[in-house]
Structure formats: structure tokens, C-alpha cells
Amino acid sequence: MGIPIRVNPLFLLLAILYSCLGLGREIIIILAAVFLHEIAHTLVALMLGIKVAEIEILPFGGQAQIEDFTGLDPSKEIYLALAGPAVSLLLAGLFYFLQPYLNVDLRFFVNINLLLGLFNLLPALPLDGGRVFRALISPLLGFKRSTKIAAFLGQLIALLLFAYGFYLSYTRFTGANYIAIGVLLFWAARREGKLLLYSFMRYLINKKAELARKGFLSCNQLVAYTYTPVKEILNAAGPSYYLVVVVLDEKHHPRGMISEVELIECYLEKGPRVSLEDCQ
């Protein structure tokens, strides 16, 4: 479908290490479970008209990177986030009941899908449950604060996993898995806290670079009422032109002009339900 799949170096390192220890079959099963999990996200994204930039395979699961966050309202994000865990839990349940009728030991595949589905439902970024949690609280707190809270929970869970892994390593000489997952989850949660701003900044930087190269850029001017949702305006934005909005009151009197940068900052700060009037 034209979507690149990137394997995180730590996942690749762990895969090589476990294969050397004679656990190559388990690595293939884990990779299959993660891939099916991410394919579910991708298919739902395509059904909702959301562009996926890439899929990254991580030790604790995978991550479908959304190309254009401005087109993602809370309801769409919830559907998109729940698709992966739903498929993982469905596969776990399906093959659990099918196992007695098949001449194959599927316990590991069932357990991995069950763990993948339940773990990703935790309300912490970058896990799927964190995206659902952010979507639920962002209308009240805005995307900035919601992302920071969900990313903080991700870092907290990562520290708990790391501590538990260290405890197991100290007492039973096991727990390396928890330490590795905790380290990567902490890094991914910190990155997630900046991902939203980075996406918008990348969008603007590309546009500014085009303006600097040409010396000019087409301007798309829109006229909208004060009560128009900002997300509806941003859906009309494009990479090849700069967006300016003329704001009118209900009597068609001009209330001012708002630039694309101001719209994005307002949307990030106040959440998906913000209107043009809230940005003035």
C-alpha cells in the first residue's frame, strides 16, 4: 500500500540475540503478531481517510505514524487506536478455541497476542490506550496538556517495568526483557511528548522552505464565521499555499484575520473543539 515498514534497531538486536539462543521461532511469532496488530491500525486508517507515513516495529509492539494529525479528530483517533488491540485480542481468543482442533501448539502465539492486546490498552503514550486516553481528555485540556499527561504516564510505566526487571535480575538473574522494554518505552514516551508539535513544525518548515526558495507562495484566503471549528479550517490547509482566514460575525461584519500559524497554535493549545472565536 506504499507504506514503509521500519524495524527499530533494538528490536533487531533482540531478535538476533534470541535467535542465537535458539528462540528464532518465538521471534518469528512475535514479529507476526506485531505485524498483524499494525496492519489492523493501517487498514482502519485507510478506511477513515487518514494517511499513514510509516509503520515502526518496536520490542513492545509497533507504531503506525500518522502523516497528517490535523485530519484526526478524537473519535477517529479512538477507532484507529483500538483497532490494533482488538485484532490482537481477537486472534488470541480465536486460536485459543481453535487449538484443540489443530495439530499445532499455538499457546505462545495466543499468549503473545493476549499480552500485546492488553499491554497496548494501558492509558499511556505511545501505547494505543494512551491515544484513546488523550482523545478522551483533549476536548477538555487541549492536545498539548493531554499529550504531556499521557506521555508522562508512559514514562512512569516504563520506569516501573525497568525497576521490576532490575529486581528480577537481582533476585533470579532474569528480567532482561523488562529492562529492555522499559528503556525503549521511556524513550518512545519522551519522543511522543514532542511528536505532535514536531508534526506541525515539520509541516510549517516545509512550507517556509518553499517560500524561501521561490520568494513567494500562493495564498488561499477563506471566509468563515466566528463559530466555525478550527479543525474544519485546518482540513482545508495544503502544503503548496499559505492559509489566511477572514473572520466574520453573524451579521457578516469583519472581525479580523487569522493566519495558519495562529490557527495551529490555537488548535494545539485549546483542543479539537476550539472555534475561530476562541483564537482571536
Side-chain angles (χ1 to χ4, degrees):
M1 293 179 287
I3 301 171
I5 299 175
R6 184 160 59 92
V7 179
N8 186 275
L10 184 54
F11 181 91
L12 187 60
L13 179 63
L14 290 174
I16 294 173
L17 177 62
Y18 277 71
S19 297
C20 293
L21 295 174
L23 299 173
R25 174 178 174 272
E26 285 77 4
I27 288 296
I28 293 174
I29 292 175
I30 291 173
L31 184 60
V34 171
F35 184 73
L36 291 172
H37 181 103
E38 293 308 314
I39 285 297
H41 285 306
T42 303
L43 291 176
V44 172
L46 294 175
M47 290 171 59
L48 294 173
I50 300 168
K51 294 181 180 180
V52 179
E54 68 174 14
I55 296 173
E56 183 179 12
I57 305 299
L58 301 164
F60 56 81
Q63 196 170 20
Q65 299 287 353
I66 302 303
E67 185 174 288
D68 186 8
F69 196 83
T70 62
L72 203 60
D73 59 35
S75 61
K76 285 185 178 180
E77 184 165 24
I78 290 174
Y79 291 134
L80 180 59
L82 290 179
V87 167
S88 295
L89 294 176
L90 180 64
L91 288 172
L94 178 63
F95 283 96
Y96 174 79
F97 288 107
L98 286 178
Q99 185 168 278
Y101 306 99
L102 301 175
N103 191 25
V104 182
D105 186 1
L106 298 172
R107 286 175 296 176
F108 187 73
F109 182 74
V110 170
N111 291 337
I112 284 298
N113 277 285
L114 182 63
L115 178 63
L116 190 62
L118 294 177
F119 182 69
N120 270 279
L121 287 176
L122 291 175
L125 286 173
L127 304 177
D128 298 322
R131 302 190 185 284
V132 174
F133 177 66
R134 180 176 63 182
L136 292 174
I137 66 174
S138 62
L140 300 175
L141 303 179
F143 276 111
K144 271 188 177 180
R145 290 185 62 190
S146 301
T147 301
K148 286 182 179 180
I149 292 171
F152 171 77
L153 291 176
Q155 295 176 55
L156 181 61
I157 291 174
L159 290 174
L160 292 175
L161 285 172
F162 181 85
Y164 182 63
F166 184 80
Y167 169 76
L168 289 179
S169 298
Y170 181 75
T171 57
R172 304 178 188 177
F173 300 102
T174 61
N177 290 340
Y178 292 101
I179 292 176
I181 293 175
V183 169
L184 187 60
L185 181 60
F186 187 86
W187 168 78
R190 282 180 59 87
R191 184 185 67 172
E192 192 71 26
K194 303 174 182 178
L195 185 61
L196 184 64
L197 288 175
Y198 169 76
S199 298
F200 280 115
M201 287 303 296
R202 183 182 61 181
Y203 179 78
L204 291 175
I205 288 172
N206 289 339
K207 190 173 295 187
K208 289 179 179 178
E210 186 72 7
L211 177 61
R213 186 177 66 84
K214 289 184 176 180
F216 63 93
L217 196 64
S218 298
C219 176
N220 189 13
Q221 192 171 26
L222 300 179
V223 179
Y225 289 116
T226 54
Y227 53 79
T228 304
V230 171
K231 70 176 183 180
E232 297 295 333
I233 302 296
L234 289 177
N235 284 336
S240 60
Y241 55 81
Y242 195 83
L243 189 64
V244 176
V245 181
V246 179
V247 184
L248 302 179
D249 61 20
E250 294 183 359
K251 296 182 179 180
H252 291 256
H253 295 153
R255 290 281 302 273
M257 299 180 68
I258 302 179
S259 70
E260 186 174 305
V261 174
E262 292 172 317
L263 288 173
I264 291 173
E265 290 177 350
C266 183
Y267 182 73
L268 282 172
E269 191 67 40
K270 299 182 180 180
R273 294 181 181 175
V274 65
S275 63
L276 290 176
E277 187 175 20
D278 301 319
C279 299
Q280 290 185 309

